[in-house]
Amino acid sequence: MGFLAGRRVLVAGAGVTGRSVVEALLAADASSVTVTDSSADRLDALEQLTPGVTVAPGLVGPPAGTDLVVTSPGWRPDNPLLAASAAAGVEVIGEVELAWRMGLELADPPAWLAVTGTNGKTTTVGMLESVLRAAGIDAVACGNVGLPVVDALLAGRRVLAVELSSFQLYWSPSVRPFAGVLLNLAEDHLDWHGGFAAYAAAKAGVLTGEVAIGGVDDPVVADLLAAAPARTRVGFTLGDPAEGQLGVRGGKLVDRAFGDGAVLLDAAEVRPAGPLGVADALAAAALARAHGVAAEAVAAGLRAFRPGAHRAELVAEAGGITYVNDSKATNPHAAEASLRAHDSVVWIAGGLLKGASVDELVRAQAHRLRGAVLIGADREAIATALHRHAPAVPVAVLDGATMADAVRAARSMARPGDAVLLAPAAASMDMFSDYAHRGQAFAEAVRTLVNPG
């Protein structure tokens, strides 16, 4: 019998992850499964799709006799239901933790290769999946990338390329991936975690397995890597790698950790191009090499990989102006990296900053800015930073504007040779359903502007 057999479980959240959790719990012979959510529509849909589940809208405390709560990752620890459950001595875990514990009960559990960081997670996991498949391994990208880990586990995949958010790591106290990488760290989700130290501590959970990998060009990551309890610690750098590192030498990606200076491929072959893409490729290569993948398969997989939409995506070029959609730049660290790819930029930014500061971003990249168009809930905070650190840059602060308004304003500031860049430095939910919706709105506005009628 597994650890779930006969247990009474409450699932917090009836979205995609919640539905997968319910199916896994029922398959594992939980004695009862109750689901709560603030949305009656989501609960109704779940009840129709999953016989045997009990729905309970808007719970603020666990039902009597509850043995375990499995929460959707975005629910904060101070949520009344989760706080009441913890106070009552009921364990609260996330879907990733559930998958981990279920996997431990298998005779031959899959290998976990995990990725976290403030930026680059999805690209790195996609690269890793491509490399593993090039090596003929039955692997799948899962976790924060979209496919719940419990689904990948129940499908019997042999290697899981797991993208983990700080929320997921917080709710996964016993997860110990075979190899885990921490790409980088910058202010993000401080409102959820309560501060940078707690955010960094959650992220460092990925470094607790057999092999810990970190981006050592980031001093905070380098310190966390040095303190990691893993048996093997590996760094990656955009510079010449020392022994025990992967890096770049003579324009080529080189492995001095799992191969004695093995050349993987030319940095110019990596997509997305630029320092961030190369760093992500090094991280993916390190995870794959830790799992025993040959250098030739690493090269083949990285060459085959193509980045997803809304990540530094060229939408159009007209009148000497390029229009670039980097809606995935949902925090200042990502936006700064996006700005660095261009010499002269009209920057479209704004949304929900989630407690992060944009001052350092603006100070460092002010010399690139032709102008800035600011939208969304925290537009004034970005305007203040621009007035402080880039007073000569024209700024349009748009109240109640659409993305089409923002694109038109940016076009009026741009000159031939400029890039109109959507790199919001903020989350999207104040104006859009998610970053993809925001990116689609930008792309549609650009196409309408450059191809009227």
Side-chain angles (χ1 to χ4, degrees):
M1 291 178 61
F3 84 100
L4 291 167
R7 302 189 77 183
R8 292 161 292 189
V9 185
L10 173 64
V11 178
V16 173
T17 298
R19 290 196 295 273
S20 293
V21 166
V22 167
E23 291 171 359
L25 293 170
L26 293 174
D29 295 325
S31 67
S32 69
V33 179
T34 302
V35 184
T36 188
D37 196 287
S38 60
S39 169
D41 290 342
R42 282 198 294 266
L43 288 173
D44 289 344
L46 179 62
E47 192 173 28
Q48 292 174 19
L49 289 170
T50 315
V53 67
T54 300
V55 300
L59 289 180
V60 295
T66 298
D67 298 309
L68 178 70
V69 176
V70 182
T71 180
S72 292
W75 287 43
R76 291 166 49 146
D78 60 1
N79 175 277
L81 170 61
L82 304 186
S85 298
V90 180
E91 186 180 21
V92 182
I93 65 173
E95 173 265 334
V96 173
E97 177 77 9
L98 178 70
W100 175 256
R101 296 187 190 183
M102 292 176 67
L104 291 178
E105 296 180 338
L106 299 177
D108 186 17
W112 287 48
L113 306 178
V115 178
T116 198
T118 302
N119 299 302
K121 297 184 293 296
T122 301
T123 298
T124 302
V125 164
M127 289 174 165
L128 176 60
E129 180 187 57
S130 182
V131 167
L132 293 169
R133 290 183 175 179
I137 295 170
D138 178 25
V140 67
C142 57
N144 197 51
V145 74
L147 176 69
V149 186
V150 288
D151 288 352
L153 179 77
L154 294 176
R157 296 304 185 109
R158 299 308 311 135
V159 179
L160 308 182
V162 189
E163 177 183 329
L164 294 174
S165 71
S166 61
F167 307 154
Q168 289 170 315
L169 283 161
Y170 178 91
W171 292 119
S172 302
S174 71
V175 168
R176 302 288 183 268
F178 169 72
V181 63
L182 178 54
L183 300 170
N184 46 60
L185 277 175
E187 289 187 343
D188 200 14
H189 302 301
L190 303 190
D191 51 349
W192 199 97
H193 289 280
F196 184 74
Y199 171 68
K203 289 288 194 182
V206 81
L207 302 176
T208 56
E210 287 288 311
V211 182
I213 302 164
V216 295
D217 294 339
D218 183 320
V220 178
V221 173
D223 288 345
L224 291 170
L225 178 64
R231 182 178 302 174
T232 302
R233 293 189 290 271
V234 174
F236 67 89
T237 173
L238 292 173
D240 195 338
E243 185 177 352
Q245 296 181 344
L246 286 80
V248 181
R249 174 182 293 168
K252 299 179 184 297
L253 275 62
V254 174
D255 175 9
R256 296 194 64 198
F258 304 101
D260 187 16
V263 175
L264 303 176
L265 80 166
D266 289 345
E269 295 182 85
V270 173
R271 293 293 179 273
L276 277 185
V278 172
D280 294 343
L282 288 165
L287 287 167
R289 296 286 277 164
H291 189 63
V293 173
E296 294 78 11
V298 172
L302 290 176
R303 290 188 183 108
F305 174 75
R306 291 295 177 267
H310 314 296
R311 295 172 177 83
E313 182 180 26
L314 177 64
V315 176
E317 184 171 357
I321 299 167
T322 57
Y323 296 83
V324 178
N325 169 19
D326 201 0
S327 184
K328 188 64 167 63
T330 57
N331 56 65
H333 187 266
E336 182 172 2
S338 191
L339 286 163
R340 285 204 308 265
H342 306 279
D343 293 328
S344 183
V345 179
V346 178
W347 181 31
I348 300 177
L352 296 169
L353 287 172
K354 302 171 289 184
S357 169
V358 295
D359 280 75
E360 179 57 28
L361 155 64
V362 172
R363 186 198 63 75
Q365 303 304 321
H367 64 286
R368 302 181 191 277
L369 299 179
R370 170 81 68 183
V373 178
L374 307 180
I375 58 175
D378 290 334
R379 60 190 178 276
E380 293 292 348
I382 303 175
T384 298
L386 284 161
H387 292 322
R388 181 182 299 125
H389 300 291
V393 173
V395 178
V397 182
L398 304 186
D399 184 8
T402 66
M403 184 61 77
D405 297 327
V407 169
R408 285 193 293 269
R411 172 62 184 88
S412 70
M413 295 180 179
R415 302 291 181 269
D418 291 346
V420 169
L421 173 66
L422 174 67
S428 58
M429 285 78 73
D430 56 332
M431 294 177 62
F432 305 94
S433 58
D434 52 28
Y435 75 83
H437 180 206
R438 178 170 59 190
Q440 289 161 3
F442 174 79
E444 290 167 5
V446 168
R447 293 180 184 119
T448 299
L449 181 70
V450 302
N451 297 302

